[in-house]
Amino acid sequence: MKKHNILYKIRGKIIHYSAIFLSDEYYLKLLFYHRLGYKLNLNNPQTFNEKLQWLKLNDQREEYSTMVDKIEAKKYVASIIGEKYIIPTLGIWDNVNEIEWDSLPNQFVIKSSDDSGGVIVCKDKTTLDIEKARKKLQRKNNYFKYNKEYPYRNLKHRIIAEEYLEDESKYELKDYKIFCFNGEPRLLFVATDRLKKGEETKFDFFDLEWNHLPFTNGHPNNPNPIKKPTNFDEMLCIARKLSVGIPQVRIDLYNCNGKIYFGEITFFHWGGTMAFKPKEWDYKLGEMIHLPI
């Protein structure tokens, strides 16, 4: 198994290095087979992951870049659903050397505007390793270079700090990630345990009636039950408004003690290269995407 993992990583690096030489389509075919173990069919895509690759190559709208930029997206979303759903901003800087650490409160969240997942959650500034934080925030994303995610192609790398929020758990915010198809939510997953030391992140998928769906994708399920938010219908209403006219998009929201906040907009869940277990759910979610072909 260990030998297999080493060979897998080496092959993955070789494929990444080839990104600058190959056409986007051929590169995605190599990456897709490497990650998922079956051939990418772009002429007649059937699975969710296949259709995301088709959308990367064929649905390249300029406004998508605004929607994934962590700074510009807040303005965009506020214009549609209102400022009350936006997490307050504490500061915006063009690079890490400009960050005014002394001006930030004891608790805050800071991240790169062109990143996804590279978030620093500071609960106590007196224990924050600022040099380590700088190095993390300097790192620029490679979502276009290595995943061919078009919206990230020309994003400006900036830093944004926001107010720290936590839900009833007192150590994190559950992340409600709603999959929408042409403006209609169909399912979601809840991300938990992302900040819990010694614990792997958990993903639990639900339909809109809050029935737990029997599959995993990237992370295991949480053994503890997850309650449906009392204002879940309001969350779905927000997701509808933000996804109108888009073949497939994920609207990420937080629910902080009954108050809903916008998180981010994601077009390519896991880059479209994460296996569903069992595999039949790759096809079931694929049926929800209607491509204009």
Side-chain angles (χ1 to χ4, degrees):
M1 179 62 71
K2 187 175 181 180
K3 182 179 179 181
H4 170 76
N5 288 339
I6 292 173
L7 292 175
Y8 178 86
K9 290 178 180 178
I10 292 173
R11 185 171 64 181
K13 287 184 178 180
I14 292 172
I15 292 172
H16 278 176
Y17 289 143
S18 71
I20 60 174
F21 304 109
L22 302 175
S23 69
D24 290 352
E25 180 176 329
Y26 190 70
Y27 170 79
L28 284 175
K29 287 182 177 180
L30 287 178
L31 182 67
F32 190 88
Y33 186 78
H34 169 67
R35 295 265 181 86
L36 293 171
Y38 67 95
K39 291 183 178 180
L40 171 60
N41 184 345
L42 291 171
N43 294 321
N44 186 27
Q46 297 296 313
T47 69
F48 178 80
N49 282 317
E50 282 183 316
K51 289 185 177 182
L52 289 195
Q53 308 312 316
W54 189 95
L55 289 168
K56 287 179 186 179
L57 298 169
N58 295 282
D59 187 27
Q60 300 183 350
R61 307 182 204 178
E62 288 185 14
E63 60 264 34
Y64 288 174
S65 293
T66 297
M67 296 164 74
V68 301
D69 184 300
K70 299 296 182 293
I71 295 170
E72 300 304 322
K74 296 176 80 167
K75 304 172 190 175
Y76 171 83
V77 169
S79 71
I80 297 173
I81 62 173
E83 288 283 350
K84 69 177 183 177
Y85 296 107
I86 306 302
I87 299 174
T89 298
L90 300 175
I92 296 172
W93 304 275
D94 286 335
N95 60 70
V96 294
N97 297 320
E98 295 180 358
I99 299 174
E100 299 166 342
W101 297 99
D102 291 340
S103 70
L104 293 172
N106 187 52
Q107 295 184 318
F108 59 90
V109 174
I110 192 166
K111 54 193 173 183
S112 301
S113 63
D114 60 342
D115 196 6
S116 180
V119 178
I120 296 169
V121 179
C122 178
K123 294 187 177 184
D124 181 359
K125 193 166 67 170
T126 63
T127 63
L128 178 66
D129 186 333
I130 291 180
E131 190 55 38
K132 185 177 179 180
R134 279 198 184 103
K135 289 180 180 179
K136 186 173 184 178
L137 293 169
Q138 277 180 324
R139 199 166 54 232
K140 295 184 179 181
N141 85 76
N142 289 307
Y143 298 123
F144 174 72
K145 183 177 180 181
Y146 293 134
N147 281 347
K148 302 305 176 184
E149 298 184 24
Y150 177 81
Y152 291 93
R153 185 172 188 172
N154 295 312
L155 287 194
K156 182 179 179 181
H157 182 76
R158 293 179 289 174
I159 312 297
I160 179 172
E162 297 176 332
E163 281 191 9
Y164 170 80
L165 302 172
E166 62 184 16
D167 58 24
E168 70 281 355
S169 69
K170 299 301 180 183
Y171 72 90
E172 71 167 353
L173 275 179
K174 295 184 185 70
D175 204 347
Y176 299 84
K177 300 174 179 288
I178 305 170
F179 291 88
C180 302
F181 305 86
N182 281 311
E184 281 303 317
R186 296 288 300 275
L187 74 157
L188 74 151
F189 72 90
V190 184
T192 56
D193 287 346
R194 293 181 303 170
L195 300 177
K196 199 171 184 179
K197 290 184 178 180
E199 288 282 347
E200 182 179 352
T201 296
K202 311 296 191 306
F203 282 1
D204 288 82
F205 288 80
F206 298 88
D207 64 18
L208 299 191
E209 281 68 53
W210 211 256
N211 297 306
H212 194 280
L213 299 175
F215 68 90
T216 59
N217 176 242
H219 291 296
N221 290 159
N222 196 319
N224 302 311
I226 299 173
K227 294 182 180 179
K228 178 182 177 179
T230 55
N231 52 358
F232 183 57
D233 287 344
E234 184 181 358
M235 297 174 75
L236 295 181
C237 182
I238 290 170
R240 286 190 184 95
K241 290 179 179 179
L242 295 177
S243 62
V244 172
I246 304 173
Q248 185 282 151
V249 69
R250 203 185 75 202
I251 305 299
D252 299 354
L253 303 172
Y254 299 111
N255 203 315
C256 182
N257 303 314
K259 183 168 174 54
I260 300 168
Y261 289 99
F262 167 72
E264 64 181 33
I265 296 174
T266 302
F267 287 96
F268 306 106
H269 172 68
W270 282 122
T273 58
M274 181 59 70
F276 289 84
K277 297 179 181 180
K279 188 177 178 179
E280 66 190 78
W281 284 91
D282 201 355
Y283 287 90
K284 287 184 177 182
L285 269 68
E287 291 174 355
M288 299 178 187
I289 303 178
H290 298 287
L291 300 177
I293 56 174

